Amino acid sequence: MKIPKYLVPDAYMADPAVHVFDGRLYIYPSHDWESGIEENDNGDHFDMKDYHVFSTDDIENGVLTDHGVVLDTADISWAGRQLWDCDVACKDGKYYMYFPLKDQNDIFRIGVAISYKPEGPFIPEENPIKGSYSIDPAIWEENGEYYMYFGGLWGGQLQRYRNNKALECAVQPEGKDLALCPKVVKLSVDMLGFAEEPRDVLILDENGDPLTAGDTERRFFEASWMHKYNGKYYFSYSTGDTHLLCYATGDNPYGPFVYQGVILTPVIGWTTHHAIAEFKGKWYLFYHDCVPSGGKTWLRSLKVVELEYDSKGKIKTIEGTLN
Ligand code: FUB
């Protein structure tokens, strides 16, 4: 599939997380809708209230099953507003959905909801994960250990924290200051909490120096994802205000990772977000754009296209406006 395909033409879905469970491919997107909230840098216009799950045996032909609403803010006791990008992991026959949501003080926390089926529905825990903050959880499993990557700037509130503690006054680094890092944390054995303090995911340049805040075409902004190709760890992410999907490679899930290049050039829309997954022997990039909504940044549509590597393991850059 060299030409991208829209996957859900009759609804606005964004921020895909994708996994293969028992040989079937599952997509866990955010569910955009027209809330009427004015667009701002805080992302208030992304006022999502529920999640759907989609699955398929045939991604090449884009034949998806919509499993309907699987989690709703109305069922989350600590909910304030805004269900953003989620992810799902499977352990011992149970499926754990990790979701960012603002609490009743308008602070993003990460919650967990549980199901016995990959397609849900998911039943939320009473409280968010202790010590959790910011947005965009992405789960990576390796040898029975589960790691969560998370974090997002601006409306994602990552700039309000240092060393996992909320600051009195949020100052965003700029220029030659070191860029704020995404976070990684090992999950507890019961999958309901953190087993350690979240750590910084360091992204280095070609000289081994950490990326700076002013390096806006390469530094992390949001939308973490992890995959492994030929034994290497590929940490990928969005650069936010420069609208690129980039990646960096490393030798273990904690990093450091060395910046490698652009996966996807800017799409139509402000946000860019993705998942990378292998299915039936091919690699795919799942992402979103705002072409079907005529460029409304808060009404995004899910897409998929094949992802290719060169002989050195470099990802071939895909044009975001390819349709
Ligand atoms: O969907 C809301 C936010 O937009 C996500 O959490 C970010 O990654 C961006 O795609």
Side-chain angles (χ1 to χ4, degrees), residues 39-97:
E39 200 173 356
N40 60 27
D41 281 351
N42 199 35
D44 289 339
H45 47 303
F46 297 111
D47 191 31
M48 295 84 97
K49 294 175 186 306
D50 62 29
Y51 294 119
H52 284 232
V53 173
F54 297 85
S55 70
T56 185
D57 275 336
D58 183 6
I59 195 65
E60 280 290 316
N61 288 306
V63 184
L64 296 193
T65 302
D66 179 355
H67 297 280
V69 174
V70 298
L71 180 65
D72 195 305
T73 47
D75 300 322
I76 303 170
S77 55
W78 55 274
R81 60 183 181 135
Q82 296 183 291
L83 266 184
W84 285 10
D85 157 58
C86 69
D87 198 5
V88 170
C90 174
K91 183 177 183 185
D92 300 335
K94 273 193 190 175
Y95 294 83
Y96 298 84
M97 174 179 270

Coordinates of all heavy atoms in Angstrom, one line a residue, residues 39-97:
E39 N -10.5 27.4 19.0 CA -9.2 26.9 18.9 C -8.2 27.8 19.7 O -8.3 29.0 19.6 CB -8.8 26.9 17.4 CG -7.6 26.0 17.1 CD -7.4 26.0 15.6 OE1 -8.2 26.6 14.8 OE2 -6.4 25.3 15.2
N40 N -7.3 27.1 20.5 CA -6.3 27.9 21.2 C -5.1 27.1 21.5 O -5.1 25.9 21.2 CB -6.9 28.5 22.6 CG -7.3 27.4 23.5 OD1 -6.8 26.3 23.5 ND2 -8.3 27.7 24.3
D41 N -4.0 27.7 21.9 CA -2.7 27.0 22.2 C -2.8 26.0 23.3 O -1.9 25.1 23.5 CB -1.6 28.0 22.5 CG -1.1 28.7 21.2 OD1 -1.5 28.3 20.1 OD2 -0.3 29.6 21.3
N42 N -3.8 26.1 24.1 CA -4.0 25.2 25.2 C -4.6 23.9 24.8 O -4.7 22.9 25.5 CB -4.9 25.8 26.3 CG -4.7 25.2 27.6 OD1 -3.6 24.7 28.0 ND2 -5.8 25.1 28.3
G43 N -5.1 23.8 23.5 CA -5.8 22.6 23.0 C -7.2 22.4 23.5 O -7.7 21.3 23.5
D44 N -7.8 23.5 24.0 CA -9.2 23.3 24.6 C -10.2 22.7 23.6 O -11.2 22.1 23.9 CB -9.7 24.6 25.1 CG -9.0 25.1 26.4 OD1 -8.4 24.2 27.1 OD2 -9.0 26.3 26.7
H45 N -9.9 23.0 22.3 CA -10.8 22.5 21.2 C -10.8 21.0 21.0 O -11.6 20.5 20.3 CB -10.5 23.3 19.9 CG -9.1 23.3 19.5 ND1 -8.1 23.9 20.4 CD2 -8.4 22.9 18.4 CE1 -6.9 23.8 19.8 NE2 -7.1 23.2 18.6
F46 N -9.8 20.4 21.6 CA -9.7 18.9 21.5 C -10.5 18.4 22.8 O -9.8 18.0 23.8 CB -8.3 18.4 21.5 CG -7.5 18.8 20.3 CD1 -6.5 19.8 20.4 CD2 -7.8 18.3 19.1 CE1 -5.8 20.2 19.3 CE2 -7.1 18.7 17.9 CZ -6.1 19.7 18.1
D47 N -11.8 18.4 22.7 CA -12.6 18.2 23.9 C -13.2 16.8 23.8 O -14.5 16.6 24.0 CB -13.7 19.3 24.0 CG -14.4 19.2 25.3 OD1 -13.7 18.8 26.3 OD2 -15.6 19.6 25.4
M48 N -12.4 15.8 23.6 CA -13.0 14.4 23.4 C -13.5 13.8 24.6 O -13.0 14.0 25.7 CB -11.9 13.5 22.8 CG -11.4 14.0 21.4 SD -10.1 15.3 21.6 CE -8.7 14.3 21.4
K49 N -14.6 13.0 24.4 CA -15.4 12.5 25.6 C -15.4 10.9 25.6 O -15.9 10.4 26.6 CB -16.8 12.9 25.5 CG -17.0 14.4 25.6 CD -18.5 14.7 25.4 CE -18.8 16.2 25.4 NZ -18.3 16.9 26.5
D50 N -15.0 10.3 24.5 CA -15.1 8.8 24.6 C -14.1 8.2 23.6 O -13.5 9.0 22.8 CB -16.5 8.3 24.3 CG -17.0 8.6 22.9 OD1 -16.2 8.8 22.0 OD2 -18.2 8.8 22.7
Y51 N -13.9 6.9 23.7 CA -13.1 6.2 22.7 C -13.9 5.1 22.0 O -14.7 4.4 22.7 CB -11.9 5.4 23.4 CG -10.9 6.3 24.1 CD1 -10.7 6.2 25.5 CD2 -10.1 7.2 23.4 CE1 -9.7 7.0 26.1 CE2 -9.1 8.0 24.0 CZ -9.0 7.9 25.4 OH -8.0 8.6 26.0
H52 N -13.6 4.9 20.7 CA -14.0 3.7 20.0 C -12.7 2.8 19.8 O -11.6 3.3 19.8 CB -14.5 4.0 18.6 CG -15.9 4.6 18.6 ND1 -16.9 4.1 17.8 CD2 -16.4 5.6 19.3 CE1 -18.0 4.8 18.0 NE2 -17.7 5.8 18.9
V53 N -13.0 1.5 19.6 CA -11.9 0.6 19.1 C -12.2 0.1 17.8 O -13.4 -0.2 17.5 CB -11.7 -0.5 20.1 CG1 -10.6 -1.5 19.6 CG2 -11.2 0.0 21.5
F54 N -11.2 -0.1 16.9 CA -11.4 -0.6 15.6 C -10.5 -1.8 15.4 O -9.4 -1.8 16.0 CB -11.1 0.4 14.5 CG -12.0 1.6 14.5 CD1 -11.7 2.7 15.4 CD2 -13.1 1.6 13.7 CE1 -12.6 3.7 15.4 CE2 -14.0 2.7 13.8 CZ -13.7 3.8 14.7
S55 N -10.9 -2.8 14.6 CA -10.0 -4.0 14.4 C -10.1 -4.5 13.0 O -11.1 -4.2 12.3 CB -10.3 -5.1 15.4 OG -11.5 -5.7 15.2
T56 N -9.1 -5.2 12.6 CA -9.1 -5.7 11.2 C -8.2 -6.9 11.0 O -7.2 -7.1 11.8 CB -8.7 -4.6 10.2 OG1 -8.9 -5.2 8.9 CG2 -7.3 -4.2 10.4
D57 N -8.5 -7.8 10.0 CA -7.7 -8.8 9.6 C -7.0 -8.4 8.2 O -6.2 -9.1 7.7 CB -8.5 -10.1 9.2 CG -8.7 -10.9 10.5 OD1 -7.9 -10.8 11.4 OD2 -9.8 -11.6 10.5
D58 N -7.6 -7.3 7.7 CA -7.2 -7.0 6.3 C -7.0 -5.5 6.2 O -7.8 -4.7 5.7 CB -8.4 -7.4 5.4 CG -8.1 -7.1 3.9 OD1 -7.0 -6.7 3.6 OD2 -9.1 -7.3 3.1
I59 N -5.8 -5.1 6.7 CA -5.5 -3.6 6.6 C -5.2 -3.2 5.2 O -5.5 -2.0 4.9 CB -4.3 -3.3 7.6 CG1 -4.2 -1.8 7.8 CG2 -2.9 -3.8 7.0 CD1 -5.3 -1.2 8.6
E60 N -4.7 -4.1 4.3 CA -4.5 -3.7 2.9 C -5.7 -3.1 2.3 O -5.6 -2.2 1.5 CB -3.9 -4.9 2.2 CG -2.4 -5.1 2.4 CD -1.5 -4.1 1.8 OE1 -1.7 -3.6 0.7 OE2 -0.6 -3.6 2.5
N61 N -6.9 -3.7 2.6 CA -8.1 -3.3 2.0 C -8.9 -2.3 2.9 O -10.0 -1.9 2.6 CB -9.0 -4.4 1.5 CG -8.3 -5.1 0.3 OD1 -8.1 -4.4 -0.7 ND2 -8.0 -6.4 0.4
G62 N -8.3 -2.1 4.1 CA -9.0 -1.1 5.0 C -10.3 -1.6 5.5 O -11.2 -0.7 5.7
V63 N -10.5 -2.9 5.7 CA -11.9 -3.4 6.1 C -11.8 -3.4 7.6 O -11.2 -4.3 8.2 CB -12.1 -4.8 5.6 CG1 -13.5 -5.2 5.9 CG2 -11.9 -4.8 4.1
L64 N -12.5 -2.4 8.3 CA -12.4 -2.3 9.8 C -13.7 -2.7 10.4 O -14.8 -2.3 9.9 CB -12.0 -0.9 10.2 CG -10.7 -0.3 9.8 CD1 -10.5 1.0 10.6 CD2 -9.5 -1.2 10.0
T65 N -13.6 -3.3 11.6 CA -14.8 -3.4 12.5 C -14.8 -2.3 13.5 O -13.7 -2.1 14.2 CB -14.8 -4.8 13.2 OG1 -14.7 -5.8 12.2 CG2 -16.0 -5.0 14.0
D66 N -15.9 -1.6 13.7 CA -15.9 -0.6 14.7 C -16.6 -1.2 15.9 O -17.8 -1.7 15.8 CB -16.8 0.6 14.2 CG -17.0 1.7 15.3 OD1 -16.5 1.5 16.4 OD2 -17.6 2.8 14.9
H67 N -15.9 -1.3 17.1 CA -16.4 -2.0 18.2 C -17.3 -1.0 19.1 O -17.6 -1.4 20.2 CB -15.3 -2.7 19.0 CG -14.6 -3.7 18.3 ND1 -15.1 -5.0 18.1 CD2 -13.5 -3.7 17.5 CE1 -14.3 -5.7 17.3 NE2 -13.3 -4.9 17.0
G68 N -17.5 0.2 18.6 CA -18.4 1.1 19.3 C -17.6 1.8 20.5 O -16.4 1.7 20.6
V69 N -18.4 2.5 21.3 CA -17.8 3.2 22.5 C -17.4 2.2 23.5 O -18.1 1.4 24.0 CB -18.9 4.2 23.1 CG1 -18.3 4.8 24.3 CG2 -19.3 5.3 22.1
V70 N -16.1 2.3 23.9 CA -15.5 1.4 24.8 C -15.1 2.0 26.2 O -14.9 1.3 27.2 CB -14.3 0.7 24.2 CG1 -14.7 -0.1 23.0 CG2 -13.2 1.7 24.0
L71 N -15.1 3.3 26.2 CA -14.9 4.0 27.5 C -15.4 5.5 27.3 O -15.2 6.1 26.2 CB -13.4 4.1 27.8 CG -13.0 4.8 29.1 CD1 -13.5 4.1 30.3 CD2 -11.4 4.9 29.2
D72 N -16.1 6.0 28.3 CA -16.7 7.3 28.2 C -16.4 8.1 29.5 O -16.3 7.5 30.6 CB -18.3 7.0 28.2 CG -19.0 8.3 27.7 OD1 -18.8 9.3 28.3 OD2 -19.8 8.1 26.7
T73 N -16.1 9.4 29.3 CA -15.8 10.2 30.5 C -16.9 10.1 31.6 O -16.7 10.2 32.8 CB -15.6 11.7 30.2 OG1 -16.6 12.1 29.4 CG2 -14.3 11.9 29.6
A74 N -18.2 9.9 31.1 CA -19.3 9.8 32.1 C -19.1 8.6 33.1 O -19.6 8.6 34.2 CB -20.6 9.5 31.3
D75 N -18.2 7.6 32.7 CA -18.0 6.5 33.6 C -16.7 6.6 34.4 O -16.3 5.6 35.1 CB -17.9 5.2 32.7 CG -19.2 5.0 32.0 OD1 -20.3 5.3 32.6 OD2 -19.2 4.6 30.8
I76 N -16.0 7.7 34.3 CA -14.8 7.9 35.0 C -15.0 8.8 36.2 O -15.2 10.0 36.0 CB -13.7 8.4 34.0 CG1 -13.5 7.5 32.8 CG2 -12.3 8.6 34.8 CD1 -12.7 8.0 31.7
S77 N -14.8 8.3 37.4 CA -15.3 9.1 38.6 C -14.4 10.4 38.7 O -15.0 11.3 39.3 CB -15.1 8.2 39.8 OG -13.8 7.7 39.9
W78 N -13.2 10.4 38.3 CA -12.3 11.5 38.6 C -12.3 12.5 37.4 O -11.5 13.5 37.4 CB -10.9 11.1 39.0 CG -10.2 10.1 38.0 CD1 -10.4 8.8 37.9 CD2 -9.4 10.5 36.9 NE1 -9.6 8.3 36.9 CE2 -9.0 9.3 36.3 CE3 -8.8 11.7 36.5 CZ2 -8.1 9.3 35.2 CZ3 -7.9 11.7 35.4 CH2 -7.6 10.5 34.7
A79 N -13.1 12.2 36.4 CA -13.0 13.0 35.1 C -13.3 14.5 35.2 O -14.3 14.9 35.9 CB -14.0 12.4 34.1
G80 N -12.5 15.3 34.6 CA -12.8 16.6 34.3 C -13.2 16.7 32.8 O -14.3 16.5 32.5
R81 N -12.2 16.9 32.0 CA -12.5 17.0 30.5 C -11.3 16.5 29.7 O -10.2 16.3 30.2 CB -12.8 18.4 30.2 CG -11.7 19.4 30.5 CD -12.1 20.8 30.1 NE -10.9 21.7 30.4 CZ -10.5 22.6 29.6 NH1 -11.1 22.9 28.5 NH2 -9.5 23.4 30.0
Q82 N -11.5 16.2 28.5 CA -10.5 16.0 27.4 C -9.8 14.6 27.5 O -8.7 14.5 28.1 CB -9.5 17.1 27.4 CG -10.1 18.4 27.0 CD -9.1 19.6 26.9 OE1 -8.6 20.0 27.9 NE2 -8.9 20.0 25.7
L83 N -10.4 13.6 26.8 CA -9.8 12.3 26.7 C -8.9 12.3 25.5 O -9.4 12.3 24.4 CB -10.8 11.2 26.4 CG -11.5 10.5 27.6 CD1 -12.4 9.4 27.0 CD2 -10.4 9.8 28.4
W84 N -7.6 12.4 25.7 CA -6.6 12.5 24.6 C -6.1 11.1 24.3 O -6.6 10.1 24.7 CB -5.6 13.6 24.9 CG -6.1 15.0 24.7 CD1 -7.4 15.3 24.6 CD2 -5.3 16.2 24.8 NE1 -7.5 16.7 24.5 CE2 -6.3 17.3 24.6 CE3 -4.0 16.5 24.9 CZ2 -5.8 18.6 24.5 CZ3 -3.6 17.8 24.9 CH2 -4.5 18.9 24.7
D85 N -4.9 11.1 23.6 CA -4.4 9.9 23.0 C -4.1 8.7 24.0 O -3.4 8.9 25.0 CB -3.0 10.3 22.4 CG -2.1 9.1 22.2 OD1 -2.5 8.1 21.6 OD2 -1.0 9.1 22.8
C86 N -4.7 7.6 23.8 CA -4.6 6.4 24.7 C -3.7 5.3 24.1 O -3.3 5.4 23.0 CB -6.0 5.8 25.0 SG -6.7 5.0 23.6
D87 N -3.4 4.3 24.9 CA -2.8 3.1 24.4 C -3.2 1.9 25.2 O -3.8 2.1 26.3 CB -1.2 3.2 24.4 CG -0.6 2.2 23.5 OD1 -1.3 1.5 22.8 OD2 0.7 2.2 23.5
V88 N -3.0 0.7 24.7 CA -3.5 -0.5 25.3 C -2.4 -1.5 25.3 O -1.6 -1.7 24.4 CB -4.8 -1.1 24.6 CG1 -5.1 -2.5 25.0 CG2 -5.9 -0.1 24.7
A89 N -2.3 -2.3 26.5 CA -1.3 -3.3 26.6 C -2.0 -4.6 27.1 O -3.1 -4.5 27.8 CB -0.2 -2.9 27.6
C90 N -1.5 -5.8 26.7 CA -2.1 -7.0 27.2 C -1.1 -7.7 28.1 O 0.1 -7.8 27.8 CB -2.3 -7.9 26.0 SG -2.9 -9.5 26.4
K91 N -1.6 -8.2 29.3 CA -0.8 -9.0 30.2 C -1.7 -10.0 30.8 O -2.8 -9.7 31.4 CB -0.2 -8.1 31.3 CG 0.7 -8.9 32.2 CD 1.3 -8.0 33.3 CE 2.3 -8.9 34.1 NZ 2.9 -8.1 35.2
D92 N -1.3 -11.3 30.7 CA -2.0 -12.4 31.3 C -3.5 -12.4 31.0 O -4.3 -12.6 31.9 CB -1.8 -12.4 32.9 CG -0.3 -12.5 33.2 OD1 0.5 -13.1 32.4 OD2 0.1 -12.0 34.3
G93 N -3.8 -12.2 29.7 CA -5.2 -12.3 29.3 C -6.0 -11.1 29.6 O -7.2 -11.1 29.4
K94 N -5.5 -10.0 30.3 CA -6.2 -8.8 30.5 C -5.7 -7.7 29.7 O -4.4 -7.6 29.4 CB -6.0 -8.4 32.0 CG -7.0 -9.1 33.0 CD -6.9 -8.3 34.3 CE -7.6 -8.9 35.4 NZ -7.3 -8.2 36.7
Y95 N -6.6 -6.8 29.3 CA -6.2 -5.7 28.5 C -6.3 -4.4 29.3 O -7.3 -4.1 29.9 CB -7.0 -5.6 27.2 CG -6.8 -6.8 26.3 CD1 -7.4 -8.0 26.6 CD2 -5.8 -6.8 25.3 CE1 -7.1 -9.2 25.9 CE2 -5.5 -7.9 24.6 CZ -6.2 -9.1 24.9 OH -5.9 -10.2 24.1
Y96 N -5.2 -3.6 29.3 CA -5.2 -2.4 30.1 C -5.1 -1.2 29.2 O -4.2 -1.1 28.4 CB -3.9 -2.4 31.0 CG -3.9 -3.5 32.0 CD1 -3.5 -4.8 31.6 CD2 -4.4 -3.4 33.3 CE1 -3.5 -5.9 32.5 CE2 -4.4 -4.4 34.2 CZ -3.9 -5.7 33.8 OH -3.9 -6.7 34.6
M97 N -6.1 -0.3 29.3 CA -6.1 0.9 28.5 C -5.6 2.0 29.4 O -6.1 2.3 30.5 CB -7.5 1.2 28.0 CG -7.6 2.6 27.3 SD -9.2 2.9 26.7 CE -9.2 2.3 25.1

